[in-house]
Amino acid sequence: MDYDELEMKNLIEEIRKHVKKSVKKERYEHSVRTAEFSARMGRIYQVDDTRCYLAGISHDICKNLSDSEMLKLASRDGRAISALEAENPQFLHGRAAAVFMQEQFGVSDAEVLHAIASHTCGGAHLCPLAKILYAADKIEPGRPHVTSEYLEKLLKMDLDSLVAAIIKENVAYLRSKGKTAAPATLEFLAELTGESGDLNGNQA
């Protein structure tokens, strides 16, 4: 994907319009905030802010698809559908979005597509752009728990420490609800921190 500045601007605007008409108002507003916050993080962590914005505005583009549509679209990325994804197709909305971006908008930037595909649960071997999108989706300023003080504290960290802190908060929240984090998320955290073992806190 090799666009000049004007072409990229036009592509992003075309995608933004599609997102606006394809998802609920609240989801669209979340997508815009995620895109803007991704770009902000890109400037902080020296990752191209336009590509961060592109990933952010696109990440939930397939959120309103039916389960069957989600499964059908995501399966075209060539990866196996896990048991967790088959039982909960909403986990596939990122993978579906990455395929959709390729097929409908001609996006071929591997890092942007990987970021979109993995933004829900994360995973091992994510590039900085993917880490940024994963984090921005969880801490964009419209999230109920996010305050300016909270963001100021996080944004003083290096990128891996910031992402690890967010995952640990999420794991603790899920545990308080009697739930466990997805295996990909735990693998992501283990890689970021070098920790191993049962990060969900379950008894052996």
Side-chain angles (χ1 to χ4, degrees):
M1 191 171 94
D2 188 17
Y3 294 114
D4 63 28
E5 186 175 344
L6 179 59
E7 288 172 330
M8 178 64 84
K9 182 179 179 180
N10 290 338
L11 173 65
I12 287 174
E13 179 61 11
E14 185 181 358
I15 293 166
R16 185 196 65 77
K17 288 178 179 177
H18 185 91
V19 173
K20 188 173 185 179
K21 71 180 183 181
S22 300
V23 302
K24 296 176 182 177
K25 179 176 181 288
E26 294 79 7
R27 180 64 52 183
Y28 168 70
E29 291 170 351
H30 161 71
S31 296
V32 171
R33 290 193 302 267
T34 299
E36 291 174 346
F37 198 73
S38 293
R40 178 182 172 187
M41 289 185 67
R43 291 188 289 272
I44 292 170
Y45 296 108
Q46 300 182 326
V47 178
D48 182 81
D49 59 343
T50 302
R51 294 167 68 230
C52 289
Y53 190 99
L54 173 61
I57 198 65
S58 309
H59 78 289
D60 277 351
I61 200 167
C62 291
K63 190 73 173 179
N64 280 15
L65 294 182
S66 68
D67 287 356
S68 61
E69 290 174 315
M70 202 94 71
L71 282 160
K72 184 178 179 180
L73 194 55
S75 67
R76 295 211 289 269
D77 68 5
R79 293 165 48 201
I81 303 293
S82 71
L84 176 65
E85 292 167 331
E87 292 171 11
N88 303 276
Q90 274 297 316
F91 278 113
L92 290 166
H93 75 271
R95 287 175 58 182
V99 173
F100 187 85
M101 293 298 291
Q102 286 180 285
E103 295 182 352
Q104 299 298 317
F105 293 103
V107 174
S108 59
D109 185 318
E111 291 188 347
V112 169
L113 295 171
H114 190 207
I116 294 169
S118 58
H119 80 268
T120 304
C121 297
H125 314 309
L126 266 60
C127 66
L129 195 159
K131 292 174 182 177
I132 284 172
L133 178 60
Y134 177 89
D137 180 39
K138 276 62 174 179
I139 62 170
E140 55 89 352
R143 295 289 193 184
H145 68 290
V146 174
T147 64
S148 56
E149 293 79 11
Y150 174 82
L151 290 180
E152 183 179 1
K153 179 181 177 182
L154 284 175
L155 293 174
K156 288 179 180 176
M157 300 178 181
D158 64 79
L159 182 57
D160 282 1
S161 297
L162 179 151
V163 176
I166 293 168
I167 297 173
K168 286 178 179 179
E169 285 181 2
N170 184 245
V171 170
Y173 172 77
L174 290 171
R175 192 184 305 154
S176 75
K177 300 293 184 181
K179 300 178 180 180
T180 57
T185 304
L186 299 179
E187 185 180 7
F188 191 18
L189 180 58
E191 182 181 80
L192 290 167
T193 63
E195 297 173 7
S196 58
D198 188 353
L199 297 169
N200 268 317
N202 297 322
Q203 296 297 318

